[in-house]
Amino acid sequence: MNAIDAWWKQAVVYQIYPRSFADANGDGIGDLGGILEHLDHLQTLGVDVVWLSPIYPSPQADNGYDISDYQDVDPLFGTLEQLDRLITGLHERGMTLLMDLVVNHTSDEHPWFAAARSSRDDPKRDWYLWRDARDGAEPNNWGSFFSGSAWELDARTGQYYLHLFDRKQPDLNWENRQVREAVYAMMRWWLDRGVDGFRMDVINFLSKEQDFADAPPVAGERYVNAFAMIADGPRMHEFLQEMTREVFQGRDEQYLTVGEMPGVTTQEAVLYTDPARHEVDMVFQFEHVSIDHGANKWDYLGLDRVALKQSLHRWQVALAERGWNSLYWDNHDQPRAVSRFGDDDPAYWAASAKALGTILHGMRGTPYVYQGEELGMRNFPFASPDQFRDVEAVNHWKDVLAQGRDQGAALRDMRAVARDNARTPVQWDATATAGFTTGTPWLPVNPDHTWLNAAAQVGQDGSVFEHYRALIRLRHEHAIFADGDFAGVLENDPELWAFTRSTDTQRMLVVANCGRTPREIELGDGWTGARLLLGTHEGTADELREGRLGLAAWDARIYLLG
Ligand code: TEU
Ligand code: CA
C-alpha cells in the first residue's frame, strides 16, 4: 500500500476539445468564450483539472495539433486575454488548467520551419529532420500516421523532411539543443502565465534513432507504420529529465504532467512515471484502445472483452509498486466509449455508460473524462464517406479508393473507429443545434441530442451525469480509490468484470455485469455487511447480506467494507 503522496492521485481530469465544446460567437466552431460560459458544468461535475486541447494559432490541418505559434491563441478560439480569464475562472472554482504541449512537430507554417526550409544553410535548417533521397525516392519506408510516406520532398532545397503525421506537421529535431531550449523557454512562459501543467502530445516519439533505418517490411504495403520502433527512443528518459530540470525545478506549485505515449510498454511506463526519476507524473498508454484493431486501426475487429479486461488489469498490477496510471476510455482520437466498450442501444445505453464509468473510476490511477462522456455521448451515425472531416479519415478514404478496396467494408470500419465520432458537438440541450452554437456547427450534431443532452441529465437522479458526479465525489472522499491495492477477480469471464481494492483497514469491491443477460456471482461470506457506495441501478440494497449477488444487465456496483 502506498501513501497518497501527490494531490493528483485523488484528482479527476476533464478533457476539453475546444472546437467541439461550445461556440460563443456563432461561427459554428467552439471557442474559449464557450468554455467560459460552461465553467459551472465542470464545477457541478466536480472535476479537479481541465486539459485543454490546442488553442494556439494554427492552419488547422489537424485541428490545432499543427501549431504555427506556441505563445498565442488562434483568433478562431479567441484571445490570450480570454485564456487568462479561463485560468482565473478555473482557479477561482478550485480547478487547474493543463495545456496541450505539442512539440514532436510544428506546423509547416511555423516561422521556425519557414526559416529551415528557406535554404540548406539556414541556421534553423537543423531544427527539423532533413535527409537525402534514397535511390531517387523517400529516405526510408516509414509511413505517416495519416497515410502515405512519412517523408515529404521539399523541391526548393532538394531534400526530404520527416513528418510522422500530416505533411503539414514536420517533426522537430530534438537532437538539436537549441530546439530543446526553445521549447523549455516556451513552457516556462506558460507556467509564468499561470497554467498548472501539460499534457504532452506523442512525447515518447521525441528521440529518434539517427540512422532512420527501415521498419520491418509488411507484405503488400509500400509504407509501413513504424511507431513501434520509433516509440521510447534512445534519449527519451534523458530528454524528459532535462525538461523537468529546465522547466519545473525550483518552482513551488505542484504541477501535473501527463505524457501521451503510443506503443509504450509497462516496463517503460514504470520508468517514465517513477517519482524518483523526475520524468512525468503519469502516461497515457494505448494497449486497451488497440485491442479491437487488426493490422492497423482501420481494420476493426470488434471487441474482445476478456482481452480488454486483462490488459487493463495487467497495467494495474505492473504499476502497483512504482509509477502511476492514467485511466481513460476515450478522448478526441477515439470513438465514443459507450459505443465501443458499452452497449449504445437506447435500452442499455445509460446503464452501460454508468457501468463503464464505475469500472474505470474504481481502478488505481487518475481518471480522465472526455467531454460528453459524462453524458454518455454515442458515436455518430455516419452514412457516407464525405461526412468525415478528420485528416486521418479523409486520407484513409483516398487510399481506399486508390487501392480499389471494398468501400462498404471500409465505411463500416470507419464508422466504428473514426476520430470524428468523438468530435461532434457537445450536446447541451434538445434544441436544433444542441445548444452548441447559434450558427451551423462545423461537424453535425448527433441526431440523438433530442433525448441525450446535459439539460436532461444534470440534477436528474439516475442519469449518467449524476453517476459520474458521484464517482468523482467518491474518489475525493475515500482514500482507498487512490491508494488501495488492486486485485482482479474472475479474469476469464467475458461479461463479469470484478476487482477488489484493499488497504490495511478497508476493502472495496467493484463489480459489473458487462452484458444484457442477468448474472449471479458467488462472493463467499467475506463481504457480508459491506455497504453500497454506488450502484447503476435503482433499488439496489444498501448492504451485502449473502454471499451471492444477482446483477441485472449492465448492473455495476461499488461496495466498501470497513
Ligand atoms: O495523437 C497521437 C496518436 O498516436 C494517435 O492517437 C493518432 O493521432 C491517431 O489517432 C491514430 O489513429 C496525438 C493527438 O492526440 C492527435 O489528435 C494528433 O493528431 C496527433 O498526436 C498529432 O499531433
Ligand atoms: Ca466560435
Side-chain angles (χ1 to χ4, degrees):
M1 184 184 111
N2 295 353
I4 303 177
D5 44 14
W7 65 271
W8 36 259
K9 293 189 173 179
Q10 280 189 288
V12 175
V13 184
Y14 186 92
Q15 182 191 355
I16 292 183
Y17 192 66
R19 169 178 281 270
S20 308
F21 188 71
D23 172 28
N25 69 351
D27 67 354
I29 297 173
D31 46 41
L32 290 173
I35 300 173
L36 288 167
E37 287 171 8
H38 287 285
L39 294 184
D40 289 346
H41 178 83
L42 308 177
Q43 195 173 20
T44 305
L45 185 59
V47 296
D48 306 276
V49 182
V50 170
W51 149 28
L52 183 64
S53 277
I55 42 72
Y56 315 99
S58 161
Q60 302 289 324
D62 185 18
N63 290 358
Y65 283 89
D66 50 318
I67 297 169
S68 52
D69 180 353
Y70 284 114
Q71 293 176 215
D72 204 347
V73 169
D74 196 302
L76 195 65
F77 296 121
T79 63
L80 257 184
E81 188 269 329
Q82 280 179 304
L83 189 76
D84 290 340
R85 273 166 50 207
L86 178 61
I87 296 171
T88 316
L90 288 171
H91 288 175
E92 281 170 0
R93 289 169 170 80
M95 293 179 273
T96 61
L97 182 68
L98 296 188
M99 297 296 277
D100 214 313
L101 182 80
V102 188
V103 292
N104 174 68
H105 44 268
T106 67
S107 165
D108 65 338
E109 297 182 36
H110 194 291
W112 297 346
F113 189 72
R117 84 183 326 175
S118 68
S119 101
R120 291 198 189 198
D121 304 323
D122 188 90
K124 289 213 167 53
R125 181 72 171 180
D126 184 54
W127 283 38
Y128 294 84
L129 294 159
W130 300 93
R131 290 294 182 276
D132 292 326
R134 182 178 69 179
D135 308 327
E138 293 89 5
N140 70 20
N141 69 350
W142 292 2
S144 152
F145 274 88
F146 297 156
S147 301
S149 170
W151 297 92
E152 179 78 2
L153 180 63
D154 181 61
R156 186 155 30 144
T157 55
Q159 282 185 309
Y160 287 83
Y161 65 84
L162 180 72
H163 60 90
L164 295 181
F165 294 90
D166 191 64
R167 61 169 60 81
K168 287 186 67 63
Q169 294 167 294
D171 280 49
L172 283 164
N173 176 17
W174 272 72
E175 299 297 316
N176 185 307
R177 163 169 290 281
Q178 291 175 346
V179 167
R180 304 203 301 275
E181 280 169 1
V183 168
Y184 303 151
M186 174 271 281
M187 292 172 76
R188 289 190 296 261
W189 184 86
W190 280 109
L191 295 185
D192 291 344
R193 219 174 172 94
V195 310
D196 307 285
F198 299 96
R199 172 270 186 187
M200 304 175 171
D201 194 67
V202 291
I203 204 73
N204 65 331
F205 287 2
L206 298 187
S207 164
K208 283 137 185 136
E209 292 276 8
Q210 293 299 296
D211 58 356
F212 293 96
D214 274 340
V218 175
E221 305 277 346
R222 174 153 176 216
Y223 305 115
V224 177
N225 187 329
F227 85 93
M229 70 186 274
I230 297 167
D232 308 324
R235 299 181 68 187
M236 251 343 292
H237 296 289
E238 174 198 335
F239 288 164
L240 288 175
Q241 288 170 13
E242 179 182 81
M243 181 185 280
T244 302
R245 263 195 325 274
E246 299 286 326
V247 177
F248 298 103
Q249 212 168 56
R251 291 177 182 257
D252 290 335
E253 202 193 326
Q254 294 300 303
Y255 296 105
L256 172 60
T257 55
V258 49
E260 189 211 25
M261 301 198 176
V264 70
T265 59
T266 51
Q267 292 90 327
E268 285 293 323
V270 168
L271 298 180
Y272 285 125
T273 64
D274 178 351
R277 296 171 57 89
H278 303 289
E279 299 185 13
V280 291
D281 294 322
M282 56 188 92
V283 305
F284 291 125
Q285 56 93 4
F286 277 66
E287 202 178 276
H288 67 296
V289 291
S290 309
I291 277 168
D292 51 6
H293 296 173
N296 59 63
K297 78 171 267 180
W298 301 113
D299 176 17
Y300 177 64
L301 301 178
L303 183 62
D304 177 342
R305 246 175 230 295
V306 173
L308 173 69
K309 169 168 58 180
Q310 291 182 346
S311 166
L312 284 172
H313 286 196
R314 213 167 61 75
W315 279 81
Q316 288 288 299
V317 171
L319 274 65
E321 295 301 320
R322 275 194 299 159
W324 190 251
N325 275 296
S326 304
L327 307 168
Y328 73 99
W329 283 130
D330 60 3
N331 57 44
H332 65 294
D333 293 334
Q334 304 292 336
R336 286 287 177 182
V338 70
S339 298
R340 184 186 198 176
F341 301 119
D343 185 338
D344 70 3
D345 181 291
Y348 302 99
W349 150 78
S352 73
K354 290 190 275 180
L356 289 175
T358 307
I359 294 164
L360 196 83
H361 287 245
M363 289 189 176
R364 188 154 178 275
T366 298
Y368 285 69
V369 179
Y370 176 63
Q371 66 183 34
E373 179 191 339
E374 77 280 20
L375 307 174
M377 277 181 64
R378 307 187 306 164
N379 279 353
F380 186 85
F382 290 102
S384 92
D386 57 13
Q387 289 177 302
F388 295 99
R389 289 288 167 275
D390 176 20
V391 57
E392 184 186 50
V394 169
N395 288 354
H396 172 64
W397 187 252
K398 285 183 198 153
D399 279 358
V400 169
L401 296 182
Q403 295 162 11
R405 306 237 291 272
D406 178 340
Q407 296 184 20
L411 183 59
R412 208 167 50 237
D413 287 353
M414 286 172 80
R415 287 170 61 113
V417 301
R419 306 197 295 184
D420 283 328
N421 280 303
R423 301 177 179 186
T424 64
V426 169
Q427 297 164 200
W428 297 103
D429 61 37
T431 61
T433 48
F436 166 72
T437 180
T438 54
T440 306
W442 71 277
L443 198 62
V445 170
N446 195 314
D448 65 15
H449 74 279
T450 51
W451 54 271
L452 197 172
N453 59 65
Q457 293 191 27
V458 177
Q460 295 302 312
D461 278 353
S463 69
V464 179
F465 181 90
E466 291 302 324
H467 191 84
Y468 266 80
R469 185 182 185 179
L471 286 167
I472 294 164
R473 195 168 45 224
L474 285 175
R475 178 162 291 260
H476 293 156
E477 287 174 358
H478 297 274
I480 191 170
F481 280 81
D483 68 355
D485 287 335
F486 174 94
V489 181
L490 293 167
E491 298 201 279
N492 294 309
D493 190 297
E495 269 94 35
L496 290 177
W497 193 327
F499 52 86
T500 61
R501 306 287 311 279
S502 43
T503 66
D504 293 342
T505 53
Q506 291 185 310
R507 279 198 302 144
M508 188 165 91
L509 172 70
V510 179
V511 56
N513 175 12
C514 298
R516 294 183 177 186
T517 313
R519 291 286 301 268
E520 287 222 328
I521 176 170
E522 285 294 340
L523 294 172
D525 44 16
W527 291 93
T528 305
R531 67 190 165 99
L532 183 75
L533 284 183
L534 186 64
T536 49
H537 287 54
E538 274 175 45
T540 305
D542 290 339
E543 241 178 67
L544 262 179
R545 279 277 152 240
E546 289 159 32
R548 173 179 292 251
L549 196 63
L551 295 171
W554 289 101
D555 192 341
R557 307 177 188 182
I558 305 178
Y559 289 101
L560 183 68
L561 193 63

